[in-house]
Amino acid sequence: MDLLSRKMYCKMTDGSDSVCNGRVAEYVMEASGNTGRDEETLDWDSSSRKKQIDVKGAGVFQANPGHKRHFAQNVEGTSLAEAWKVFVKASSASNMRTVANLLWLTSVITFTLFYFFSKAITEKMLVRALKGGKNTKIVTLSGKKITKMPSSLDKLPGLKTLNLQNNRISKVCSEISTLTQLTVLNLGNNLLEEIPEEMKYLTSLKKLHLFGNKICKFASGACDGLQNLILLNLNNNELAWIPQEISRLKNLKYLSINHNQLASIPKELCFLKNLFELHLNYNQLICIPEEIKFLKELQKLLLVRNNIEVLPKGICRLKNLRILDIAGNIIQTFPSGFQNLKLREFYCEGNPLFLKEPVTAVQQDDVWSLQEITSRFIMNELSEKNPFVMQAITWHPLVKNIMSQRRKCAICGKYFLTIWLECVEFVPPSKKWKISRNLQLVPLQILICSYTCFNQRGPNLFGIAQV
Ligand SMILES: [Zn+2]
């Protein structure tokens, strides 16, 4: 439909992508999964994610081939005493490069020692947990370099919390299906490639953390038994799509899929009627389904750094929406009615929003297609309840379907189908909104049926010039 639409007349913006440094800097931090907001509100990513980032930071040494060589020699033949001697020597000579290498060496030695002891510690902890048997409620084995989930989990039927984050687990063991009392499962920062089918047996599960894996798909049936799930954290994975079955997570309140590769979300996601927060930052979303209007409980919607061009009109029906963040998209206007949202916080930096800075443009002629002319005639006859046309339309479901895509002129109230004039109305944002600094006036999209109506518009309505 957009292909046939006509954008014309006298309003243009500079179209520049005015990124506000303050806010964007905040999002760069979030890209590393290191955000205070997530931790505060949702207990999403843990502080362990921070540690992982710190270790990555230390990797600058590896980036330098000279340092790498030096580092390799040190690991092979240096005792702690020798290392200390070199350290003193290096300090007195103010050789900062050697000091840096020694600091790096010290951390390597610590990690090596940790590696040798971690296995023994893990086993000891497991034995202790197993002694508890049915009474063991919590098992935490985070950062133990585990590659396989302990199969003895089936000896702990009363387990409520299982924390296996920061390991090297690539597969969920079948024994997990016996943990029917489990309410919290943390498998964040591992090597999983899919959300396994075994999840469906965890019927008591309330919080599922799968952030920082390599998940690219949901196994079929994975969502079937998770009727009690409240929180699902899939940040920092490789998901390119979400299955329709997501709608089976009836009690889901918090869903976070930041830093994935989603190009779209299924409309079934909008049937999660208890959803409270939806985080979809840093994906490749092009649009949001109109069905978003069904998320009646939604309070927080984060869509930062996607490729969204248009927000659906349905967003205006989210009566409980309080926080909306669409920074870093390609939005130019908002759907009409947007200004009535009861937002508390609204962020829209880094979008090429239309500004109220009119330029002069030449008015073009209206040329309607035959389809447009007949469609308008039929639609307007229908709106006047012409009995002949009303009866005829019931015999032609295809025509009825085409007519359902009609739109209404904001000036005369008549219908049109594929040709319109796109205009912008500027309204001041609500005083109750906490907003981005770049937003003085909210540009609302207004559609008009013809130049005849355009010439009767009010002073605050502007056409859009074609560049
Ligand atoms: Zn009109």
Side-chain angles (χ1 to χ4, degrees):
M1 241 163 56
D2 282 339
L3 288 175
L4 289 168
S5 73
R6 304 269 302 274
K7 290 184 173 185
M8 18 196 179
Y9 200 49
C10 63
K11 174 81 187 101
M12 236 347 268
T13 75
D14 63 359
S16 65
D17 189 354
S18 55
V19 175
C20 164
N21 289 331
R23 288 278 302 165
V24 173
E26 189 183 336
Y27 290 117
V28 172
M29 276 181 68
E30 195 175 66
S32 310
N34 180 6
T35 156
R37 278 200 289 176
D38 279 357
E39 283 163 21
E40 273 167 32
T41 52
L42 295 179
D43 185 30
W44 282 135
D45 289 329
S46 55
S47 54
S48 61
R49 183 85 194 139
K50 261 185 212 169
K51 276 186 211 159
Q52 196 192 43
I53 292 149
D54 292 343
V55 171
K56 270 188 194 160
V60 289
F61 290 104
Q62 290 179 333
N64 180 328
H67 284 161
K68 200 173 177 181
R69 206 162 40 243
H70 195 169
F71 158 66
Q73 287 161 1
N74 283 343
V75 172
E76 276 169 24
T78 315
S79 72
L80 276 174
E82 282 167 337
W84 177 249
K85 274 185 208 164
V86 182
F87 178 79
V88 173
K89 197 177 157 191
S91 305
S92 61
S94 302
N95 187 339
M96 290 317 289
R97 182 178 288 189
T98 313
V99 172
N101 275 318
L102 276 165
L103 287 173
W104 174 243
L105 169 68
T106 315
S107 64
V108 168
I109 292 171
T110 315
F111 275 116
T112 313
L113 289 173
F114 182 71
Y115 177 78
F116 284 119
F117 288 111
S118 64
K119 244 186 165 176
I121 293 166
T122 306
E123 279 162 22
K124 209 173 166 185
M125 287 171 90
L126 258 182
V127 170
R128 205 185 301 155
L130 285 170
K131 275 186 191 162
K134 251 191 271 180
N135 298 321
T136 301
K137 302 283 183 218
I138 301 172
V139 168
T140 300
L141 293 169
S142 57
K144 298 283 182 284
K145 311 230 180 331
I146 299 170
T147 53
K148 261 177 99 176
M149 280 178 75
S151 56
S152 45
L153 285 173
D154 58 355
K155 311 278 190 309
L156 305 167
L159 202 62
K160 295 268 188 198
T161 301
L162 177 58
N163 184 354
L164 291 167
Q165 71 168 330
N166 302 331
N167 284 296
R168 294 167 183 169
I169 297 164
S170 57
K171 205 172 177 316
V172 168
C173 66
S174 58
E175 288 79 5
I176 203 167
S177 59
T178 60
L179 302 179
T180 51
Q181 304 295 308
L182 200 67
T183 56
V184 180
L185 175 59
N186 191 340
L187 279 163
N189 294 331
N190 275 286
L191 301 170
L192 298 175
E193 290 180 6
E194 67 168 10
I195 299 181
E197 198 191 338
E198 285 81 359
M199 291 295 167
K200 69 180 177 190
Y201 300 109
L202 305 179
T203 49
S204 302
L205 202 64
K206 290 190 168 162
K207 293 182 180 180
L208 177 56
H209 297 276
L210 292 169
F211 57 86
N213 280 276
K214 296 178 172 186
I215 295 170
C216 57
K217 64 173 181 171
F218 286 59
S220 87
C223 298
D224 288 359
L226 296 172
Q227 300 295 315
N228 288 307
L229 199 67
I230 290 173
L231 182 154
L232 176 57
N233 182 349
L234 285 163
N235 294 342
N236 296 288
N237 276 290
E238 293 166 16
L239 282 166
W241 59 280
I242 305 281
Q244 298 171 0
E245 289 74 35
I246 190 103
S247 62
R248 294 183 191 162
L249 308 177
K250 295 277 180 219
N251 279 306
L252 204 62
K253 287 188 173 176
Y254 306 100
L255 176 59
S256 191
I257 322 180
N258 295 334
H259 295 279
N260 276 267
Q261 292 151 24
L262 299 176
S264 64
I265 54 169
K267 64 176 189 296
E268 285 76 10
L269 192 146
C270 304
F271 302 145
L272 295 171
K273 60 178 177 16
N274 291 308
L275 205 63
F276 208 66
E277 293 194 12
L278 179 57
H279 300 209
L280 294 166
N281 298 335
Y282 295 90
N283 278 282
Q284 289 147 29
L285 296 173
I286 295 163
C287 61
I288 298 296
E290 182 60 36
E291 286 80 2
I292 194 138
K293 63 186 172 199
F294 297 125
L295 292 175
K296 296 283 181 205
E297 296 299 317
L298 199 65
Q299 291 204 6
K300 190 171 181 179
L301 178 59
L302 308 182
L303 298 166
V304 175
R305 295 271 174 195
N306 280 281
N307 300 317
I308 300 167
E309 207 172 330
V310 178
L311 286 176
K313 210 166 161 33
I315 208 165
C316 306
R317 294 183 41 193
L318 299 177
K319 302 280 180 223
N320 286 308
L321 195 65
R322 297 291 175 268
I323 301 173
L324 176 63
D325 197 339
I326 52 155
N329 281 281
I330 43 177
I331 292 166
Q332 292 183 308
T333 57
F334 299 100
S336 60
F338 184 82
Q339 75 278 21
N340 299 326
L341 279 169
K342 303 262 182 301
L343 297 173
R344 275 202 314 260
E345 294 175 38
F346 173 50
Y347 305 108
C348 61
E349 310 88 324
N351 282 284
L353 295 181
F354 281 126
L355 305 174
K356 197 175 178 180
E357 289 166 7
V359 295
T360 309
V362 181
Q363 187 168 318
Q364 294 168 17
D365 289 335
D366 269 337
V367 184
W368 294 351
S369 65
L370 194 59
Q371 186 202 33
E372 184 67 22
I373 294 166
T374 45
S375 304
R376 288 190 183 204
F377 174 76
I378 296 170
M379 288 184 294
N380 290 316
E381 286 302 310
L382 281 172
S383 67
E384 284 168 19
K385 302 208 180 333
N386 179 324
F388 174 74
V389 182
M390 281 175 84
Q391 196 177 21
I393 200 97
T394 57
W395 301 329
H396 298 91
L398 188 64
V399 176
K400 200 175 172 184
N401 189 33
I402 294 173
M403 298 301 155
S404 69
Q405 293 167 28
R406 67 190 178 181
R407 304 203 191 196
K408 205 173 182 178
C409 173
I411 303 284
C412 68
K414 289 188 175 173
Y415 294 105
F416 52 85
L417 194 63
T418 55
I419 297 174
W420 60 75
L421 284 167
E422 189 178 347
C423 301
V424 188
E425 184 181 3
F426 293 90
V427 297
S430 163
K431 286 193 175 119
K432 290 177 184 164
W433 296 2
K434 182 185 166 193
I435 51 167
S436 320
R437 266 174 281 170
N438 67 326
L439 187 72
Q440 270 94 44
L441 290 168
V442 184
L444 299 177
Q445 188 194 52
I446 306 287
L447 302 182
I448 288 180
C449 74
S450 62
Y451 276 115
T452 314
C453 281
F454 184 75
N455 292 329
Q456 295 166 20
R457 73 191 190 282
N460 201 24
L461 201 63
F462 299 87
I464 297 171
Q466 203 154 21
V467 208

mmCIF file of all heavy atoms in Angstrom, residues 409 412 449 453, ligand 1:
data_model
loop_
_atom_site.group_PDB
_atom_site.id
_atom_site.type_symbol
_atom_site.label_atom_id
_atom_site.label_comp_id
_atom_site.label_asym_id
_atom_site.label_seq_id
_atom_site.Cartn_x
_atom_site.Cartn_y
_atom_site.Cartn_z
ATOM 1 N N CYS A 409 -10.121 9.837 6.270
ATOM 2 C CA CYS A 409 -9.523 11.168 6.135
ATOM 3 C C CYS A 409 -9.744 11.972 7.424
ATOM 4 O O CYS A 409 -10.851 12.002 7.960
ATOM 5 C CB CYS A 409 -10.160 11.891 4.949
ATOM 6 S SG CYS A 409 -9.640 13.604 4.798
ATOM 7 N N CYS A 412 -12.248 15.295 6.149
ATOM 8 C CA CYS A 412 -13.649 15.138 5.743
ATOM 9 C C CYS A 412 -14.303 13.876 6.310
ATOM 10 O O CYS A 412 -15.523 13.726 6.250
ATOM 11 C CB CYS A 412 -13.772 15.140 4.227
ATOM 12 S SG CYS A 412 -13.053 13.685 3.462
ATOM 13 N N CYS A 449 -7.318 12.620 2.531
ATOM 14 C CA CYS A 449 -7.732 11.927 1.295
ATOM 15 C C CYS A 449 -7.363 12.660 0.007
ATOM 16 O O CYS A 449 -7.184 12.042 -1.027
ATOM 17 C CB CYS A 449 -9.223 11.645 1.345
ATOM 18 S SG CYS A 449 -10.245 13.104 1.080
ATOM 19 N N CYS A 453 -9.104 18.468 0.573
ATOM 20 C CA CYS A 453 -9.116 18.490 2.049
ATOM 21 C C CYS A 453 -7.863 19.171 2.595
ATOM 22 O O CYS A 453 -7.922 19.897 3.580
ATOM 23 C CB CYS A 453 -9.218 17.076 2.592
ATOM 24 S SG CYS A 453 -10.901 16.449 2.511
HETATM 25 ZN ZN ZN B 1 -10.866 14.230 3.003
#
